[in-house]
Every structure is written in C-alpha cells, then in structure tokens.
Amino acid sequence: MGSGLRGRRHAVLLATMVACGAALRADVGLRAAAAARRYGACRAAAVMSTRGDGLPCGSLVALITPMFADGSVDEDALRALYRWHIDCGTDGLVVLGTTGEASTLSPAERLNVLRITQEEAVGKLPVVIGTGAIQPAAAIKMGEEAAAHGANGVLVVTPYYVKPTQKGLIKYYEHIADNSPLPLVLYNVPSRTGVDMTPITVGALSQHPRIVGVKVCARHPAPRHRRFARRFSARAREWRAPHAAAHRGTAPRRAMPRRAGARACRKRPAM
C-alpha cells in the first residue's frame, strides 16, 4: 500500500513537471532582453554587493527541473524558467535541490542542468546548487562541479536513510566544508531524511568558517527557528522553507525586502 501511494505521488509530481514544462516552452521568448536592459546594471551591483561568502539576502526560489513525460529534462522550459525569474526580479535561485528532483537525475543530466544554469543565470543573479548525498565524497564532487559552473554556494541536506547521530552529522558536514570550494548551507528536513539536526549541532557547525547558513523545513518550525538563530553566529544566515508557514496556517509576519530595481511580477509565462 505504501509503495502504491509513493507511486501515485511520483506520477502526480511528474505530471506537474510536464505541465509546467509545456507552459514554459510556450514562452521561451520571454522578455529577458528587456529585463537585462531595465535592471541588468542594478542586478550586477546586487550580485557584487552580497556578503563575502557570496550569498544574497532576500527570497531564493527553490527551482523545479522541468521534465518531459519520459522523465528527460526539458531544456527549453528550464531556460524559460530562468529568464522568467530574472525578468521578475527574483533575489536568487536554489537549483538541483530536493524540489528540483536532483536525486532522480543521472550525473550527465546534472551536468547538463549546471551548464544551462551557467548560461542563463550565473552572473545575473546568485545561484545555490543542491549537492546533498549520503556519501561525503559524492557531495564534495558535486560541490566542485557547482563551483566550476559559477555557483555562489551549495545546499547540503542531512544524509538520508542512514540516520547518523548528532556527532556523526557534525563530522559529515565538517568534512564536506573542509573540502568545499563554496560556502555551505545546512539543510534540515527530518520528515524526508529520517534524521533531525538539533540546535546544539547547528551551533557547533556554525563555528566553521565555510558553513554560512541553515535551511529548515519542519512541521512546527517557529520555536526551532529561534533556537537555530540564537545558536548561529552573526555571520551565518537562516533560511526558511517557503512552505514552513503553511504548516502553521499563517503567512510570514513580514515579507523579504525587495532588492532595488526589482519589480513585482505576478504574470506567469503564457500557456
């Protein structure tokens, strides 16, 4: 019964990605050139003015990876999606995370997505690449690939399935951060991975100079967010999952500040 439910969820997710890809393909000629003329200089200044670790303030969108019905990556839709976010003034993007179905992509497909990301988004807005893996060496290798394609940072989820101890998590992240060419953001999503990173562990990891933030996705995030924020040093940043407020049934108390030059963009790509 459980496997059947998972199969139905996968089918629904794939259908959603296919539908999104079809919608985006219809608007491949998005207003990217006009956007570059309007706020290209402002966006370049914003990218350059981020903190020393290269990570931005504001709202970073966890990007899906559009796919065809056969599961292959829809490159045209992906390019259109990047251009749409640039046109709408998005502060930054998180690519190949769990939302992007990175675990279902082959190494060649990952590299192809990174290539498209470099061509369409790098240098126009900050980009963070998801590089989480059970094996630390695999996470390090993916981080090196992300750096080679111009990313600003990496998002590393806790190792799923193996359920490491808190000391094991510290060793895992410290080893990756020691060998990472990019700033590292922790990612705690216990409902998906089976392991929960405690505020004490986050506090210990926040002392590492290459670990600069934490993304949290939990059913009751507010108290834990406060504890994480207290544990983290002043230079680190906490990222909230966009749907965290939905679990509480309330919207965030205040919106992220909009970067100068960005404008509201409510219109979606044409169908």
Side-chain angles (χ1 to χ4, degrees), residues 139-258:
I140 293 169
K141 180 181 179 181
M142 287 189 287
E144 292 171 346
E145 294 170 348
H149 287 82
N152 298 87
V154 293
L155 178 68
V156 182
V157 70
T158 53
Y160 41 88
Y161 183 77
V162 294
K163 294 186 177 180
T165 64
Q166 296 302 307
K167 289 183 178 179
L169 285 175
I170 292 174
K171 291 183 178 180
Y172 171 82
Y173 278 111
E174 286 182 340
H175 177 68
I176 295 175
D178 287 340
N179 295 276
S180 174
L182 294 172
L184 186 152
V185 178
L186 311 173
Y187 184 10
N188 188 42
V189 51
S191 64
R192 300 290 186 180
T193 62
V195 59
D196 192 6
M197 189 161 37
T198 68
I200 294 176
T201 298
V202 172
L205 290 171
S206 72
Q207 303 306 308
H208 195 289
R210 303 293 293 167
I211 297 177
V212 298
V214 55
K215 176 182 175 181
V216 184
C217 180
R219 185 171 295 278
H220 302 291
R224 173 147 301 189
H225 278 234
R226 289 193 289 270
R227 291 196 295 271
F228 280 168
R230 286 195 297 267
R231 293 284 181 180
F232 240 70
S233 60
R235 64 173 179 77
R237 178 180 290 111
E238 178 189 9
W239 290 5
R240 293 194 183 195
H243 54 284
H247 290 300
R248 303 193 304 274
T250 59
R253 292 186 178 180
R254 63 177 183 176
M256 289 289 189
R258 185 178 296 278

Side-chain angles (χ1 to χ4, degrees), residues 4-55:
L5 179 60
R6 286 193 297 272
R8 288 194 296 274
R9 287 177 176 173
H10 178 75
V12 170
L13 179 59
L14 181 58
T16 302
M17 288 184 172
V18 171
C20 178
L24 288 169
R25 282 197 306 278
D27 197 34
V28 172
L30 220 50
R31 301 171 300 280
R37 289 194 299 270
R38 279 197 295 272
Y39 23 79
C42 171
R43 188 173 300 283
V47 172
M48 294 303 294
S49 66
T50 52
R51 304 173 315 149
D53 56 34
L55 298 182

Side-chain angles (χ1 to χ4, degrees), residues 81-155:
L81 190 57
Y82 281 129
R83 295 168 189 171
W84 184 70
H85 278 289
I86 292 169
D87 188 36
C88 291
T90 297
D91 293 303
L93 296 173
V94 180
V95 181
L96 292 175
T98 50
T99 303
E101 293 299 294
S103 60
T104 69
L105 300 181
S106 68
E109 287 174 324
R110 279 188 60 93
L111 288 175
N112 191 34
V113 171
L114 288 176
R115 176 183 60 81
I116 295 172
T117 303
Q118 185 176 32
E119 294 172 356
E120 297 289 345
V122 169
K124 300 175 184 177
L125 74 173
V127 175
V128 176
I129 303 295
T131 60
I134 296 178
Q135 186 182 23
I140 293 169
K141 180 181 179 181
M142 287 189 287
E144 292 171 346
E145 294 170 348
H149 287 82
N152 298 87
V154 293
L155 178 68

Side-chain angles (χ1 to χ4, degrees), residues 14 18 66-74 104-105 109:
L14 181 58
V18 171
M67 298 180 182
F68 291 109
D70 62 359
S72 60
V73 176
D74 188 337
T104 69
L105 300 181
E109 287 174 324

